[in-house]
Amino acid sequence: MSSVKAFGAASSESDLAQLSIDRRDVQPNDVKIDILYCGVCHSDIHTVHNDWGGTKYPSVPGHEIIGRVTEVGNKVSNYKVGDLVGVGCLVDSCRTCASCQEDLEQYCENGMVPTYNGADKHLGGHTFGGYSETIVVDKDFVLKVPENIDPKAAAPLLCAGITTWSPLRHWNVKKGDKVGVIGLGGLGHMGVKFANALGARVVMITSSESKRETAKELGAHDVLISKNSDEMKKHANSFDFLLNTIPVKHDLNPYVGLLKRDATMCMVGAIEPLEPMHGGLVILKRRNIAGSLIGGIKETQEMLDFCGEHNIVCDIEMINMQDINEAYERVMKADVKYRFVIDMKSLKE
Amino acid sequence: MSSVKAFGAASSESDLAQLSIDRRDVQPNDVKIDILYCGVCHSDIHTVHNDWGGTKYPSVPGHEIIGRVTEVGNKVSNYKVGDLVGVGCLVDSCRTCASCQEDLEQYCENGMVPTYNGADKHLGGHTFGGYSETIVVDKDFVLKVPENIDPKAAAPLLCAGITTWSPLRHWNVKKGDKVGVIGLGGLGHMGVKFANALGARVVMITSSESKRETAKELGAHDVLISKNSDEMKKHANSFDFLLNTIPVKHDLNPYVGLLKRDATMCMVGAIEPLEPMHGGLVILKRRNIAGSLIGGIKETQEMLDFCGEHNIVCDIEMINMQDINEAYERVMKADVKYRFVIDMKSLKE
């Protein structure tokens, strides 16, 4: 066990500040990682503020981790010192339930272990995330990061990336499909890039006219302003798939009406109570409303490999660790294009 | 064109009473049917009362029609005088759109023609339903009814039956699946019978303890009282499919939590605004909330054939046409086991 520098919150009221946390010594199946970059996710903020309840303090968030391997356990053969690796939202799971057996560890029926705020079965207490110098993770939950992509801009792939990739693949988005991505933020901008790379005709659906040009630069073929009811009517019944990335309470009804018969809208952002839905919208066209949670380790690796092949990364703004509280303020105002990434060198200095 | 006796409402405020309607003369593709029985559906009441808006008066409801063929057009080869036939919720569609081409006329993209309150393209005005002596229907929208089942009890198969059959088949309910049927009424009791006949382990989910025994008699293997939170917890994450037949505004949240990962709850009753749903319930287990509308002609025929083979009919209470207003009162109080069927002989006398 070693003590390492980290940034976290002592309570739901406190700002994030430097503190010390313990990392376990490397076990036979472990990989020790020197953290280079860590993305800033909405979930970090929700956890720090205890918005979902259940936050254990001190809370060290961060689950979009990129780093270099500095040590491996004696049973680790697939990683070596110096490898560029990533760690996402989970660091362990039961490995025996149906979901784990199907490479869907994120849905582990005995409860996956989140990278932060989970039960730490090695040291007791709870897990600490990536806003820190190092992390020690079981090899089965470590990802290989292609060396040809910018590692800073790869960090948010570990959450924002896989969260949008997984549903696009699960619902089999393919060449020629008309796919709508609702909401242009950290998740939405990756949804546009991935759907485009998968060959779909991508429509960015946003309430904000000001995002029209940026959306097209990201790969949207068309932009639909959700406040414009004439435009919404023109697109009614026309989408093969909708990826809904809105992270707050909202009204699903206008979006559901955009779906073709038998098509699905998948929600990935709003772990929140929603506005009342009208049953007729699903009944009259046999439509589906679904949700999807991050992704499994195997498909996260597939996504990273795909990003390497297609040279896809996130659009980011770099910050120093000391700027984290201001960054949180800006994330909450959706004032970031599209993800903050912490340069962890700043913590180590 | 001939004038025939019918029962209908002159306005949304008026009780149903006898009136005269016009039926077209038999065209080359038409089948003329002497109506023997007609089921009483919730939709009849909603339409008569203009609950959904758009009701055209006089309104003659009825889309669970059983009768005998009395005349066929010169291009009709698949029906002959004397055949026992049925007519369900639709009497025409465009036949050219993608949905029609896929035998899903109920989702016709140019608008299917409902059996009542639709646009009558032969006589102008609007279509009149089965609360009448006779009906003339295009052969492609007429169903063959197996002679071995009780024709009275077969009437509600044309709506309550197909509405539950179609989603059970579409979501591939099969031997060994754990299927919940929510709500024990006209739709729910058929959902239980069909799911049982398809080999599923059927759980009736009802708020009413008093329905426990009846549900088992209908074929439920188990009964789950939705008000009992301990029982609900025991069944959490365990269902392969839920058929939600509740016909009114309700809270989906307790039911969604019963679904396994990746499983679907399909709504067939509530063409209504629902209570607010929590996004986390679909996101955290990749669950689906869907809807389904009656069924296509081909699958309605398949259902009727299946009913013939398995000797499945509805549980009904017979009424005379003159008792319709009282029957409506009782349907609205859910005081019927489980469907009223009008003996149309009473109208003709």
CSV table of all heavy atoms in Angstrom, one decimal, chain B residues 280-324:
chain,number,residue,atom,x,y,z
B,280,GLY,N,-33.2,6.3,-15.3
B,280,GLY,CA,-32.3,5.3,-14.8
B,280,GLY,C,-32.8,3.8,-15.0
B,280,GLY,O,-32.0,2.9,-15.2
B,281,LEU,N,-34.1,3.7,-15.0
B,281,LEU,CA,-34.7,2.3,-15.0
B,281,LEU,C,-34.4,1.6,-16.4
B,281,LEU,O,-34.3,0.4,-16.4
B,281,LEU,CB,-36.2,2.4,-14.8
B,281,LEU,CG,-36.6,2.5,-13.3
B,281,LEU,CD1,-38.0,2.9,-13.2
B,281,LEU,CD2,-36.3,1.3,-12.5
B,282,VAL,N,-34.4,2.4,-17.4
B,282,VAL,CA,-34.0,1.8,-18.7
B,282,VAL,C,-32.5,1.8,-18.9
B,282,VAL,O,-31.9,0.8,-19.5
B,282,VAL,CB,-34.7,2.5,-19.9
B,282,VAL,CG1,-36.2,2.1,-19.9
B,282,VAL,CG2,-34.6,4.0,-20.0
B,283,ILE,N,-31.8,2.9,-18.5
B,283,ILE,CA,-30.4,3.0,-18.7
B,283,ILE,C,-29.6,1.9,-18.0
B,283,ILE,O,-28.7,1.3,-18.6
B,283,ILE,CB,-29.9,4.4,-18.3
B,283,ILE,CG1,-30.5,5.5,-19.3
B,283,ILE,CG2,-28.4,4.5,-18.3
B,283,ILE,CD1,-30.1,6.9,-18.9
B,284,LEU,N,-29.9,1.7,-16.7
B,284,LEU,CA,-29.0,0.9,-15.9
B,284,LEU,C,-29.1,-0.6,-16.2
B,284,LEU,O,-28.3,-1.4,-15.8
B,284,LEU,CB,-29.3,1.1,-14.4
B,284,LEU,CG,-29.1,2.5,-13.9
B,284,LEU,CD1,-29.5,2.7,-12.5
B,284,LEU,CD2,-27.6,3.0,-14.1
B,285,LYS,N,-30.1,-1.0,-17.0
B,285,LYS,CA,-30.2,-2.5,-17.4
B,285,LYS,C,-30.5,-2.6,-18.9
B,285,LYS,O,-31.0,-3.7,-19.3
B,285,LYS,CB,-31.4,-3.1,-16.6
B,285,LYS,CG,-31.1,-3.4,-15.1
B,285,LYS,CD,-30.4,-4.7,-14.9
B,285,LYS,CE,-30.0,-4.9,-13.4
B,285,LYS,NZ,-29.1,-6.0,-13.2
B,286,ARG,N,-30.3,-1.6,-19.6
B,286,ARG,CA,-30.6,-1.6,-21.1
B,286,ARG,C,-31.9,-2.2,-21.4
B,286,ARG,O,-32.1,-3.0,-22.3
B,286,ARG,CB,-29.5,-2.4,-21.8
B,286,ARG,CG,-29.4,-2.0,-23.3
B,286,ARG,CD,-28.1,-2.4,-23.9
B,286,ARG,NE,-27.9,-3.9,-23.9
B,286,ARG,CZ,-26.7,-4.5,-24.4
B,286,ARG,NH1,-25.8,-3.7,-24.9
B,286,ARG,NH2,-26.6,-5.7,-24.4
B,287,ARG,N,-32.9,-1.7,-20.6
B,287,ARG,CA,-34.3,-2.2,-20.8
B,287,ARG,C,-35.0,-1.4,-21.9
B,287,ARG,O,-34.5,-0.3,-22.2
B,287,ARG,CB,-35.1,-2.1,-19.5
B,287,ARG,CG,-34.6,-3.0,-18.4
B,287,ARG,CD,-35.3,-2.6,-17.1
B,287,ARG,NE,-35.0,-3.5,-16.0
B,287,ARG,CZ,-34.6,-3.1,-14.8
B,287,ARG,NH1,-34.4,-1.8,-14.5
B,287,ARG,NH2,-34.3,-3.9,-13.8
B,288,ASN,N,-36.1,-2.0,-22.3
B,288,ASN,CA,-36.9,-1.3,-23.4
B,288,ASN,C,-38.3,-1.2,-23.0
B,288,ASN,O,-38.9,-2.0,-22.4
B,288,ASN,CB,-36.9,-2.3,-24.7
B,288,ASN,CG,-35.5,-2.6,-25.2
B,288,ASN,OD1,-35.0,-1.8,-26.0
B,288,ASN,ND2,-34.9,-3.6,-24.7
B,289,ILE,N,-38.8,0.0,-23.4
B,289,ILE,CA,-40.3,0.2,-23.2
B,289,ILE,C,-40.8,0.4,-24.6
B,289,ILE,O,-40.4,1.3,-25.4
B,289,ILE,CB,-40.5,1.5,-22.3
B,289,ILE,CG1,-40.0,1.2,-20.9
B,289,ILE,CG2,-42.0,1.8,-22.3
B,289,ILE,CD1,-40.0,2.4,-20.0
B,290,ALA,N,-41.8,-0.4,-25.0
B,290,ALA,CA,-42.3,-0.4,-26.3
B,290,ALA,C,-43.8,-0.3,-26.3
B,290,ALA,O,-44.4,-0.4,-25.2
B,290,ALA,CB,-41.8,-1.6,-27.1
B,291,GLY,N,-44.4,-0.2,-27.5
B,291,GLY,CA,-45.8,-0.3,-27.6
B,291,GLY,C,-46.2,-1.2,-28.8
B,291,GLY,O,-45.3,-1.5,-29.6
B,292,SER,N,-47.4,-1.6,-28.9
B,292,SER,CA,-47.8,-2.4,-30.0
B,292,SER,C,-49.3,-2.1,-30.3
B,292,SER,O,-50.1,-2.0,-29.3
B,292,SER,CB,-47.6,-3.9,-29.8
B,292,SER,OG,-48.0,-4.7,-30.8
B,293,LEU,N,-49.7,-2.0,-31.5
B,293,LEU,CA,-51.0,-1.7,-32.0
B,293,LEU,C,-51.7,-2.9,-32.6
B,293,LEU,O,-51.2,-3.3,-33.7
B,293,LEU,CB,-51.0,-0.5,-32.9
B,293,LEU,CG,-52.3,0.0,-33.4
B,293,LEU,CD1,-53.1,0.7,-32.3
B,293,LEU,CD2,-52.1,1.0,-34.6
B,294,ILE,N,-52.8,-3.4,-32.1
B,294,ILE,CA,-53.5,-4.5,-32.7
B,294,ILE,C,-52.6,-5.5,-33.4
B,294,ILE,O,-51.6,-6.0,-32.8
B,294,ILE,CB,-54.7,-4.1,-33.5
B,294,ILE,CG1,-54.4,-2.9,-34.4
B,294,ILE,CG2,-55.9,-3.7,-32.5
B,294,ILE,CD1,-55.6,-2.4,-35.3
B,295,GLY,N,-52.8,-5.8,-34.7
B,295,GLY,CA,-52.0,-6.7,-35.5
B,295,GLY,C,-52.3,-6.6,-36.9
B,295,GLY,O,-53.4,-6.0,-37.3
B,296,GLY,N,-51.5,-7.1,-37.8
B,296,GLY,CA,-51.8,-7.2,-39.2
B,296,GLY,C,-52.8,-8.3,-39.6
B,296,GLY,O,-53.1,-9.1,-38.7
B,297,ILE,N,-53.3,-8.3,-40.8
B,297,ILE,CA,-54.3,-9.3,-41.2
B,297,ILE,C,-53.7,-10.7,-41.2
B,297,ILE,O,-54.3,-11.6,-40.7
B,297,ILE,CB,-54.8,-8.9,-42.6
B,297,ILE,CG1,-55.6,-7.5,-42.5
B,297,ILE,CG2,-55.7,-10.0,-43.1
B,297,ILE,CD1,-56.8,-7.5,-41.6
B,298,LYS,N,-52.4,-10.8,-41.7
B,298,LYS,CA,-51.8,-12.1,-41.8
B,298,LYS,C,-51.7,-12.7,-40.4
B,298,LYS,O,-52.0,-13.9,-40.1
B,298,LYS,CB,-50.5,-12.0,-42.5
B,298,LYS,CG,-49.8,-13.3,-42.8
B,298,LYS,CD,-48.5,-13.1,-43.5
B,298,LYS,CE,-47.7,-14.4,-43.5
B,298,LYS,NZ,-46.3,-14.2,-43.9
B,299,GLU,N,-51.2,-11.9,-39.4
B,299,GLU,CA,-51.0,-12.5,-38.1
B,299,GLU,C,-52.3,-12.6,-37.3
B,299,GLU,O,-52.4,-13.5,-36.4
B,299,GLU,CB,-49.9,-11.7,-37.3
B,299,GLU,CG,-50.2,-10.3,-36.9
B,299,GLU,CD,-49.1,-9.6,-36.1
B,299,GLU,OE1,-48.2,-10.2,-35.7
B,299,GLU,OE2,-49.2,-8.3,-36.0
B,300,THR,N,-53.3,-11.9,-37.7
B,300,THR,CA,-54.6,-12.1,-37.1
B,300,THR,C,-55.1,-13.5,-37.5
B,300,THR,O,-55.7,-14.2,-36.7
B,300,THR,CB,-55.6,-11.0,-37.5
B,300,THR,OG1,-55.0,-9.7,-37.2
B,300,THR,CG2,-56.9,-11.1,-36.8
B,301,GLN,N,-54.9,-13.8,-38.8
B,301,GLN,CA,-55.3,-15.1,-39.3
B,301,GLN,C,-54.5,-16.2,-38.6
B,301,GLN,O,-55.1,-17.3,-38.2
B,301,GLN,CB,-55.2,-15.2,-40.8
B,301,GLN,CG,-55.8,-16.5,-41.4
B,301,GLN,CD,-57.3,-16.5,-41.2
B,301,GLN,OE1,-58.0,-15.7,-41.6
B,301,GLN,NE2,-57.8,-17.5,-40.4
B,302,GLU,N,-53.2,-16.0,-38.4
B,302,GLU,CA,-52.4,-17.0,-37.7
B,302,GLU,C,-52.9,-17.2,-36.3
B,302,GLU,O,-53.0,-18.3,-35.8
B,302,GLU,CB,-50.9,-16.5,-37.7
B,302,GLU,CG,-50.2,-16.6,-39.0
B,302,GLU,CD,-48.9,-15.9,-39.0
B,302,GLU,OE1,-48.5,-15.2,-38.0
B,302,GLU,OE2,-48.2,-15.9,-40.1
B,303,MET,N,-53.3,-16.1,-35.6
B,303,MET,CA,-53.8,-16.2,-34.3
B,303,MET,C,-55.1,-17.0,-34.3
B,303,MET,O,-55.3,-17.9,-33.4
B,303,MET,CB,-54.1,-14.8,-33.7
B,303,MET,CG,-54.8,-14.8,-32.4
B,303,MET,SD,-55.8,-13.4,-32.1
B,303,MET,CE,-57.0,-13.5,-33.4
B,304,LEU,N,-56.0,-16.7,-35.2
B,304,LEU,CA,-57.3,-17.4,-35.2
B,304,LEU,C,-57.0,-18.9,-35.5
B,304,LEU,O,-57.7,-19.8,-34.9
B,304,LEU,CB,-58.2,-16.9,-36.3
B,304,LEU,CG,-58.8,-15.5,-36.0
B,304,LEU,CD1,-59.4,-14.8,-37.2
B,304,LEU,CD2,-59.8,-15.6,-34.9
B,305,ASP,N,-56.1,-19.2,-36.4
B,305,ASP,CA,-55.8,-20.6,-36.6
B,305,ASP,C,-55.2,-21.3,-35.4
B,305,ASP,O,-55.5,-22.4,-35.0
B,305,ASP,CB,-54.8,-20.8,-37.8
B,305,ASP,CG,-55.4,-20.3,-39.1
B,305,ASP,OD1,-56.6,-20.1,-39.2
B,305,ASP,OD2,-54.6,-20.0,-40.0
B,306,PHE,N,-54.3,-20.6,-34.7
B,306,PHE,CA,-53.7,-21.0,-33.4
B,306,PHE,C,-54.9,-21.3,-32.4
B,306,PHE,O,-54.9,-22.3,-31.7
B,306,PHE,CB,-52.8,-20.0,-32.9
B,306,PHE,CG,-52.0,-20.4,-31.6
B,306,PHE,CD1,-50.8,-21.1,-31.7
B,306,PHE,CD2,-52.5,-20.1,-30.3
B,306,PHE,CE1,-50.1,-21.4,-30.5
B,306,PHE,CE2,-51.8,-20.4,-29.2
B,306,PHE,CZ,-50.6,-21.1,-29.3
B,307,CYS,N,-55.8,-20.4,-32.3
B,307,CYS,CA,-57.0,-20.6,-31.4
B,307,CYS,C,-57.8,-21.8,-31.8
B,307,CYS,O,-58.2,-22.5,-30.9
B,307,CYS,CB,-57.9,-19.3,-31.4
B,307,CYS,SG,-57.1,-17.9,-30.6
B,308,GLY,N,-57.9,-22.1,-33.1
B,308,GLY,CA,-58.6,-23.3,-33.5
B,308,GLY,C,-57.9,-24.5,-33.0
B,308,GLY,O,-58.4,-25.4,-32.4
B,309,GLU,N,-56.6,-24.5,-33.2
B,309,GLU,CA,-55.7,-25.7,-32.9
B,309,GLU,C,-55.7,-25.9,-31.4
B,309,GLU,O,-55.7,-27.0,-30.9
B,309,GLU,CB,-54.3,-25.5,-33.4
B,309,GLU,CG,-54.1,-25.7,-34.9
B,309,GLU,CD,-52.9,-25.0,-35.4
B,309,GLU,OE1,-51.9,-24.8,-34.6
B,309,GLU,OE2,-52.9,-24.5,-36.5
B,310,HIS,N,-55.6,-24.8,-30.6
B,310,HIS,CA,-55.5,-24.9,-29.1
B,310,HIS,C,-56.8,-24.7,-28.4
B,310,HIS,O,-56.8,-24.7,-27.2
B,310,HIS,CB,-54.4,-23.9,-28.6
B,310,HIS,CG,-53.0,-24.3,-29.1
B,310,HIS,ND1,-52.6,-24.0,-30.4
B,310,HIS,CD2,-52.0,-24.9,-28.5
B,310,HIS,CE1,-51.3,-24.4,-30.5
B,310,HIS,NE2,-51.0,-25.0,-29.4
B,311,ASN,N,-57.9,-24.6,-29.2
B,311,ASN,CA,-59.2,-24.4,-28.6
B,311,ASN,C,-59.2,-23.2,-27.6
B,311,ASN,O,-59.6,-23.3,-26.4
B,311,ASN,CB,-59.6,-25.7,-27.9
B,311,ASN,CG,-61.1,-25.8,-27.8
B,311,ASN,OD1,-61.8,-25.2,-28.7
B,311,ASN,ND2,-61.7,-26.5,-26.9
B,312,ILE,N,-58.7,-22.1,-28.0
B,312,ILE,CA,-58.6,-20.9,-27.2
B,312,ILE,C,-59.7,-19.9,-27.6
B,312,ILE,O,-59.8,-19.6,-28.8
B,312,ILE,CB,-57.3,-20.2,-27.3
B,312,ILE,CG1,-56.2,-21.1,-26.7
B,312,ILE,CG2,-57.3,-18.8,-26.6
B,312,ILE,CD1,-54.8,-20.6,-26.9
B,313,VAL,N,-60.5,-19.4,-26.7
B,313,VAL,CA,-61.5,-18.4,-26.9
B,313,VAL,C,-61.4,-17.4,-25.8
B,313,VAL,O,-60.7,-17.6,-24.8
B,313,VAL,CB,-62.9,-18.9,-27.1
B,313,VAL,CG1,-63.1,-19.6,-28.5
B,313,VAL,CG2,-63.3,-19.7,-26.0
B,314,CYS,N,-62.2,-16.3,-25.9
B,314,CYS,CA,-62.3,-15.4,-24.8
B,314,CYS,C,-63.4,-15.8,-23.8
B,314,CYS,O,-64.3,-16.5,-24.1
B,314,CYS,CB,-62.6,-14.0,-25.4
B,314,CYS,SG,-61.5,-13.5,-26.7
B,315,ASP,N,-63.2,-15.2,-22.6
B,315,ASP,CA,-64.3,-15.4,-21.6
B,315,ASP,C,-65.2,-14.2,-21.7
B,315,ASP,O,-64.8,-13.0,-21.7
B,315,ASP,CB,-63.7,-15.4,-20.2
B,315,ASP,CG,-62.9,-16.6,-19.9
B,315,ASP,OD1,-62.6,-17.4,-20.8
B,315,ASP,OD2,-62.6,-16.9,-18.7
B,316,ILE,N,-66.5,-14.5,-22.0
B,316,ILE,CA,-67.4,-13.4,-22.3
B,316,ILE,C,-68.7,-13.4,-21.5
B,316,ILE,O,-69.0,-14.4,-20.9
B,316,ILE,CB,-67.8,-13.5,-23.8
B,316,ILE,CG1,-68.4,-14.9,-24.1
B,316,ILE,CG2,-66.5,-13.3,-24.7
B,316,ILE,CD1,-69.1,-15.0,-25.4
B,317,GLU,N,-69.4,-12.3,-21.6
B,317,GLU,CA,-70.7,-12.2,-21.1
B,317,GLU,C,-71.6,-11.7,-22.3
B,317,GLU,O,-71.3,-10.7,-22.9
B,317,GLU,CB,-70.9,-11.2,-20.0
B,317,GLU,CG,-70.2,-11.6,-18.7
B,317,GLU,CD,-70.5,-10.6,-17.5
B,317,GLU,OE1,-71.7,-10.2,-17.4
B,317,GLU,OE2,-69.6,-10.2,-16.8
B,318,MET,N,-72.6,-12.4,-22.6
B,318,MET,CA,-73.5,-12.0,-23.7
B,318,MET,C,-74.5,-11.0,-23.3
B,318,MET,O,-75.0,-11.0,-22.2
B,318,MET,CB,-74.3,-13.3,-24.2
B,318,MET,CG,-73.4,-14.3,-24.8
B,318,MET,SD,-72.4,-13.7,-26.3
B,318,MET,CE,-73.7,-13.3,-27.4
B,319,ILE,N,-74.7,-10.0,-24.2
B,319,ILE,CA,-75.8,-9.0,-23.9
B,319,ILE,C,-76.6,-8.8,-25.2
B,319,ILE,O,-76.2,-9.2,-26.3
B,319,ILE,CB,-75.2,-7.6,-23.5
B,319,ILE,CG1,-74.2,-7.1,-24.6
B,319,ILE,CG2,-74.5,-7.7,-22.2
B,319,ILE,CD1,-73.9,-5.6,-24.5
B,320,ASN,N,-77.8,-8.3,-25.0
B,320,ASN,CA,-78.6,-7.9,-26.2
B,320,ASN,C,-78.1,-6.5,-26.6
B,320,ASN,O,-77.6,-5.7,-25.8
B,320,ASN,CB,-80.1,-7.9,-25.8
B,320,ASN,CG,-80.6,-9.3,-25.8
B,320,ASN,OD1,-80.0,-10.2,-26.4
B,320,ASN,ND2,-81.6,-9.5,-25.0
B,321,MET,N,-78.4,-6.1,-27.8
B,321,MET,CA,-78.0,-4.8,-28.4
B,321,MET,C,-78.6,-3.7,-27.5
B,321,MET,O,-77.9,-2.7,-27.3
B,321,MET,CB,-78.4,-4.7,-29.8
B,321,MET,CG,-77.9,-3.5,-30.6
B,321,MET,SD,-76.1,-3.5,-30.9
B,321,MET,CE,-75.5,-2.3,-29.7
B,322,GLN,N,-79.8,-3.9,-27.1
B,322,GLN,CA,-80.5,-2.9,-26.3
B,322,GLN,C,-79.8,-2.6,-24.9
B,322,GLN,O,-80.1,-1.6,-24.3
B,322,GLN,CB,-82.0,-3.3,-26.1
B,322,GLN,CG,-82.8,-3.4,-27.4
B,322,GLN,CD,-82.5,-4.6,-28.3
B,322,GLN,OE1,-81.8,-5.5,-27.8
B,322,GLN,NE2,-82.9,-4.6,-29.5
B,323,ASP,N,-79.0,-3.5,-24.5
B,323,ASP,CA,-78.3,-3.3,-23.1
B,323,ASP,C,-77.0,-2.6,-23.2
B,323,ASP,O,-76.3,-2.6,-22.2
B,323,ASP,CB,-78.1,-4.7,-22.5
B,323,ASP,CG,-79.4,-5.5,-22.4
B,323,ASP,OD1,-80.4,-4.9,-22.2
B,323,ASP,OD2,-79.3,-6.7,-22.5
B,324,ILE,N,-76.7,-2.1,-24.4
B,324,ILE,CA,-75.3,-1.6,-24.6
B,324,ILE,C,-74.9,-0.4,-23.7
B,324,ILE,O,-73.8,-0.4,-23.2
B,324,ILE,CB,-75.1,-1.1,-26.1
B,324,ILE,CG1,-73.7,-0.8,-26.4
B,324,ILE,CG2,-76.1,0.0,-26.5
B,324,ILE,CD1,-72.8,-2.0,-26.3
